[in-house]
Amino acid sequence: MKSRVSHQARTPGGSAVSTEQEGMEPPLGEHEQAARSFLASHAQIVWSASADGTIAAAPLWRAYTGQGKEEARGLGWLEAIHPEDRERVMCTWKNALATQRADETAYRLRRSDGSYAPFAVRAVPLFEPDGRLREWEGVSTDITEHQRLEDELHASEERFHLTFEQAAVGIAHVGIDGRWLLVNPKLCDMLGYARGELLAQTLHGVLMPDDLSTAFTDAQRLITGEQQTYVKELRFRRKDGSLVWVNLTVTLVRNQAQWPLYFLAITEDITARQQAELQRHLNQLKDQFILHMNHELRTPLTSLLGYLQLMQAQQGRLDAAAQARYLETAIRSGEELIQLVNSVLDALTITEEMTPPQREEIPVASLVRDVLEHLDPGEEQVVRLHLDIPDGLTVWANEQLLRQVLRNLLSNAFKYCPKSAPVVVSATVIDQDEREAHTSLSVCISVQDAGPGIPPEELPLLFQQFTRLKRDLSGPVGGSGLGLYISKRFVEAMEGQIWVESPGINGQGSRFCVLLPSHWHAPGTTGA
């Protein structure tokens, strides 16, 4: 057997130098240890054997393994191969000789220091022109570094697998089309599905309908590169139909060419936190309600009892005019007290899912006039009231609920605006070209005043429970802070919308708008 070692080395200047050693004979002289050290880390031993497989002792083999000439002769080279690999190596070599086909195998080869290194071996038969086998050429390559990288990759994959499977948060790979590609046990537990069941669905299938549009928009921004990641708090629907609040973090994984591969979604169950925040909010509302209603109920109640006690103390000594004045004040305080109590009762009867009310076709103009008549705003307020409502204009609504909404809006307009400021009630038809969100005709009923307006920072809070403007908390006008909240819930129960527009500038006032489905009859205008 002839043997050669081929490797690349670097000169001090950095250029590559190819070296080849052939037919080396021992001893290696003073460079023996250096040669062995280099071979131990860079060896690629090229060798040859006769047609019958006879391998002569090779100096390079002996330089790497430390075997003597006699030790490596014949089958002695097998002694340098790890004991556990010898039988397999000999079996594959005999099979190659019998079939005269290329042989590939791997074994652990002992270095001169007694340690073993993994080698990949390939032997190829070479034939004469007449087809007779001439010899074998082979190469044994040290794959220590390759093996190390494979081991590191395997360890990394194992760490990823353990992290993925045992993570305390839900982890998933989601396809660009929304399909679940990989899901971990935590996510399955969170949603109540077995892994196979969840993989048969899509992310969109567990999202609430209200969140779908936002989810598609955010995904598109990730794909186009407008953003690298997004974080949202939203609700997932579990297999049993219940809802779970999650903190969803999504990023897009790309390949080296920057093509999108899949979304990486991290899901944290925050239901307990949401429930705690809700409970804290409810406690705040309760405290605010008790404090607020203590003041609001006490004021008319004190006035009512005060005038009744005064009439009792002055019984027989009051003239008719004074008695009538006292009674009128007591009655007004009683009515204010009833209105406050009714507001609280209305708020208590409103649940998260209101039963859809019975609806009918209601003439807008006549209902507004009837509300104004029962509201009894006073002659000085009637003068500043203007109606601009087409005749025959109707809405599809519940009369009792709409009456309460109009009463709240008109009452606020009269209470919170200066007595000289005008109040305009108007109604117009809105078609689907003007408001694309509605597929049929709608009517917008608005109440416009010319009062102090609403500060922009307080507009988002206006339809919440117990909300009153900061400037009114210490003012002379009372209220439960429930009227607009109740109005919003009533309007939404009738499949409508309610909102407010205000520049927050004194004198330009506010415009409250109620949008409801309509059935249009005939043109005309009712004015006052």
Side-chain angles (χ1 to χ4, degrees), residues 232-527:
K232 286 285 189 302
E233 289 188 359
L234 41 75
R235 294 165 298 169
F236 280 172
R237 186 174 295 280
R238 291 168 48 85
K239 181 181 178 180
D240 62 8
S242 62
L243 301 180
V244 54
W245 274 97
V246 300
N247 186 311
L248 178 65
T249 303
V250 181
T251 189
L252 180 64
V253 178
R254 301 175 183 270
N255 61 16
Q256 291 184 344
Q258 294 304 300
W259 284 98
L261 295 179
Y262 56 86
F263 296 104
L264 174 62
I266 308 296
T267 307
E268 179 187 3
D269 187 344
I270 59 170
T271 303
R273 192 185 79 192
Q274 285 286 339
Q275 291 175 342
E277 290 180 356
L278 176 60
Q279 187 59 51
R280 181 169 53 83
H281 178 65
L282 291 175
N283 289 338
Q284 289 177 343
L285 287 178
K286 180 188 70 175
D287 295 341
Q288 184 180 357
F289 170 76
I290 293 173
L291 182 63
H292 182 71
M293 294 309 297
N294 178 57
H295 169 73
E296 295 299 331
L297 291 175
R298 188 183 297 274
T299 301
L301 187 58
T302 300
S303 175
L304 174 62
L305 290 176
Y307 277 98
L308 290 177
Q309 289 171 351
L310 184 59
M311 291 176 63
Q312 183 183 40
Q314 299 292 328
Q315 189 174 8
R317 297 195 294 273
L318 290 175
D319 56 31
Q323 187 173 356
R325 189 169 64 254
Y326 288 0
L327 279 174
E328 182 180 354
T329 304
I331 291 172
R332 191 180 303 115
S333 297
E335 291 174 344
E336 183 180 349
L337 186 62
I338 289 174
Q339 186 176 357
L340 286 169
V341 171
N342 286 338
S343 295
V344 174
L345 292 177
D346 286 339
L348 292 175
T349 58
I350 294 177
T351 59
E352 202 60 37
E353 296 292 339
M354 288 184 61
T355 303
Q358 292 291 327
R359 289 184 287 170
E360 58 184 325
E361 200 171 355
I362 300 173
V364 178
S366 60
L367 180 62
V368 170
R369 284 195 295 266
D370 190 54
V371 170
L372 287 169
E373 182 179 342
H374 287 82
L375 191 62
D376 191 19
E379 187 168 343
E380 72 281 357
Q381 295 177 344
V382 171
V383 172
R384 60 191 179 106
L385 180 65
H386 302 278
L387 298 184
D388 183 15
I389 304 175
D391 291 330
L393 189 61
T394 63
V395 291
W396 190 250
N398 179 277
E399 181 177 349
Q400 182 180 354
L401 298 187
L402 183 54
R403 182 184 297 275
Q404 179 67 37
V405 171
L406 293 173
R407 184 186 298 118
N408 287 338
L409 297 182
L410 289 168
S411 176
N412 285 346
F414 289 124
K415 283 196 303 183
Y416 291 98
C417 296
K419 292 186 177 181
S420 59
V423 175
V424 179
V425 182
S426 61
T428 56
V429 177
I430 306 293
D431 61 31
Q432 63 186 54
D433 292 331
E434 297 178 58
R435 198 172 185 86
E436 296 180 359
H438 296 268
T439 57
S440 61
L441 292 178
S442 300
V443 168
C444 181
I445 305 171
S446 65
V447 178
Q448 171 77 58
D449 63 62
I454 302 169
E457 66 273 12
E458 296 191 62
L459 285 174
L461 307 174
L462 209 56
F463 292 95
Q464 296 182 10
Q465 290 174 300
F466 311 118
T467 298
R468 297 189 63 201
L469 299 182
K470 293 179 182 179
R471 65 167 182 250
D472 296 328
L473 293 177
S474 58
V477 180
S480 64
L482 292 169
L484 290 177
Y485 165 74
I486 294 171
S487 297
K488 182 175 186 293
R489 297 307 307 275
F490 283 174
V491 170
E492 290 175 346
M494 295 184 288
E495 299 184 1
Q497 297 179 32
I498 183 172
W499 70 93
V500 60
E501 301 167 355
S502 178
I505 301 174
N506 190 21
Q508 296 188 16
S510 306
R511 179 173 179 256
F512 285 84
C513 303
V514 176
L515 193 73
L516 291 169
S518 167
H519 292 276
W520 176 246
H521 282 272
T525 301
T526 295

Side-chain angles (χ1 to χ4, degrees), residues 201-222:
Q201 300 197 37
T202 65
L203 172 61
H204 312 135
V206 301
L207 282 171
M208 298 297 292
D210 293 346
D211 297 323
L212 283 175
S213 177
T214 301
F216 284 129
T217 300
D218 288 330
Q220 189 64 34
R221 287 176 178 169
L222 291 178

